[in-house]
Amino acid sequence: LGSVEGVRLFFAPGRVNLIGEHTDYNGGYVFPAALSFGTYALVKPRSDGMYRFRSMNFAQQVDTHVDAIEYRKEDDWANYPKGVLAQLLAFVPSAESSSFTGADILYYGDIPNGAGLSSSASIEMVTAYALSQIAGITIPIIELVKLAQAAENQFVGVNCGIMDQFAVGMGKKDHALKLNCTDLSYEYAPLRLQGYKLIVTNTNKRRGLADSKYNERRAECEAGLHMLREVKPDLPNLGALSMEEWTSLRNAVKDPLIRNRVEHVVSEDQRVLDAVQSLAADDLTKFGQLMCESHGSLRGLYEVTGKELEALQGAAMSVEGCLGSRMTGAGFGGCTVSLVREDAVDVFRREVEQQYTVATGLKPTFYVCD
Ligand code: GLA
C-alpha cells in the first residue's frame, strides 16, 4: 500500500451452499462452504465522524455521519454497510461508541451480484470486521455474524436466516461447514473431492421477485408450524421434526401446499445429515444423488426453481462425469452447484452452455470453485 499511511485492506468471502436449502430459518441444518472470491475493503480512518462509502462495482457514492445513519432506498448497496455500522454502534457499550470516528472505505467485489452466492453477506461481514478493527475493538466473529444478520433483517428489510453471514464469517479453506441453525453449533468437514470439482453455474437471470417470494415461503413455513402445534404444542420449529415424526403428523397439515413446504424442510434436513455422512465416508456418488434429490424437492415441493434453473440442472445432469447438481441459495434464478469429474470439466462447460442457451436464450457463466 506504499506510502498511504494508516490504510488497511480487509477481505470477506462469498459462499456456496452445498445442501440444506430453506432450512436455516426453520431451525434446521445447512452445509455451506466459503469461496475464494468475495469482497475487499480498503479502509482509511477519519477523525470527523464521517463514513464515506465508495465501490468499484457501483456508481452510488454515499456519505453518512456516525450520528445520522438512515436507511435510504436510493443509497442501494451502501445500505448494507450503513446497516452494519448502525448495528455495531448498538452492540458496543456506549463508552466504546466514541471509538467510531469515521472512515473512507473503497469496496471491490468479484462475486456476481444477486446470484445466490452471498454478495450481501460478504459486504456486511467485511464491513463489520473492518470497522470494528479500525475502532480498536475486538468483537468475536460469531457476534459480528449475528449483527450482520440483524442489519439485513432490520435495516435493509430482508428477512434472511443466518446461514450466509455464518458461512462468510466462519468458513475455512478446503472445508464445508455443517451448521445447526437452532443453537449455532457447527463442525468443519474436510472437502475431499478426489479428483472432482465444484462448479458454480450462473443462470444470469436476475432474481426479480425473489425477496417477496422468499418472505412468502417463510410465512408458509410458519403457517405449517402453527398447524402442527395443534397436535404437538411443544414443537419449537420444523427443523426439530424427524422424517418419522413428520410421517405420523402430516395429516394435521390439511392444506396440501403447506404440507409440501413442510415436507421439503423436513426431508431436506435429513439430506444434510446424510450428505455430511457420505462426504466423511468418501462416497461422492451418494453425495451427488442427495444433491439431485434436494433439487427435486426444491422444484416439486418448495417451488423455488423455475425455467432457467431447471434447464441448467437438467443440462448438467446429462453430462457424463457429473455426479450431482442442484440450485443453491434462495432460488428463483441465481446459480446451480454441480459436482463434476476434473477431466470432464471442459465437456461440462461446452455441453451445458449449448443446451442451456438453446432452452433459454441466455448464456451461463461458470466458476470452478476453490
Ligand atoms: C438466502 C438466505 C439464507 C437462506 C437461503 C435459502 O440465501 O439469505 O438465509 O435462507 O436463502 O437456503
Side-chain angles (χ1 to χ4, degrees), residues 15 17 20-25 118 160-164 214 329-330:
R15 69 98 187 89
N17 190 23
E21 220 65 82
H22 292 281
T23 45
D24 63 347
Y25 51 83
S118 292
C160 65
I162 198 153
M163 164 168 73
D164 302 349
Y214 184 88

Side-chain angles (χ1 to χ4, degrees), residues 28-226:
Y29 290 100
V30 292
F31 196 47
L35 295 170
S36 50
F37 39 70
T39 312
Y40 297 82
L42 202 55
V43 184
K44 183 166 188 239
R46 300 173 63 94
S47 51
D48 60 359
M50 287 304 294
Y51 285 85
R52 305 202 306 170
F53 302 107
R54 303 289 183 270
S55 166
M56 293 170 71
N57 303 85
F58 301 101
Q60 290 97 333
Q61 306 194 343
V62 173
D63 297 351
T64 187
H65 192 272
V66 66
D67 294 331
I69 307 163
E70 266 173 32
Y71 178 87
R72 286 173 43 198
K73 194 172 187 310
E74 63 273 25
D75 288 350
D76 196 66
W77 68 274
N79 284 309
Y80 293 97
K82 280 200 296 180
V84 166
L85 177 58
Q87 288 292 333
L88 276 169
L89 291 165
F91 179 83
V92 298
S94 52
E96 285 185 347
S97 62
S98 59
S99 310
F100 288 84
T101 58
D104 288 344
I105 312 176
L106 177 63
Y107 294 95
Y108 169 72
D110 55 3
I111 311 174
N113 293 307
L117 301 177
S118 292
S119 52
S120 39
S122 179
I123 191 172
E124 287 158 13
M125 287 304 295
V126 79
T127 305
Y129 189 76
L131 294 187
S132 55
Q133 285 289 310
I134 65 158
I137 300 171
T138 303
I139 301 175
I141 300 274
I142 184 66
E143 297 304 330
L144 298 181
V145 164
K146 290 184 203 161
L147 67 84
Q149 185 201 12
E152 185 143 349
N153 291 169
Q154 293 161 29
F155 196 86
V156 180
V158 178
N159 210 4
C160 65
I162 198 153
M163 164 168 73
D164 302 349
Q165 291 79 9
F166 197 97
V168 167
M170 306 293 283
K172 190 162 112 176
K173 188 174 190 297
D174 298 329
H175 289 74
L177 196 59
K178 173 190 161 196
L179 171 66
N180 175 336
C181 298
T182 297
D183 59 9
L184 300 188
S185 57
Y186 63 97
E187 279 165 42
Y188 291 107
L191 269 177
R192 282 188 305 270
L193 295 182
Q194 315 162 57
Y196 280 78
K197 285 277 179 192
L198 285 170
I199 302 188
V200 168
T201 313
N202 195 344
T203 59
N204 287 322
K205 182 203 173 210
R206 291 297 299 182
R207 277 190 307 193
L209 286 173
D211 290 350
S212 61
K213 288 278 178 202
Y214 184 88
N215 288 341
E216 184 183 296
R217 290 295 177 280
R218 283 200 71 150
E220 288 162 355
C221 289
E222 266 152 45
L225 182 61
H226 276 294

Side-chain angles (χ1 to χ4, degrees), residues 302-321:
Y302 217 66
E303 298 182 274
V304 290
T305 59
K307 178 180 163 201
E308 292 79 8
L309 282 168
E310 287 311 320
L312 209 50
Q313 199 263 354
M317 288 315 296
S318 77
V319 177
E320 199 275 323

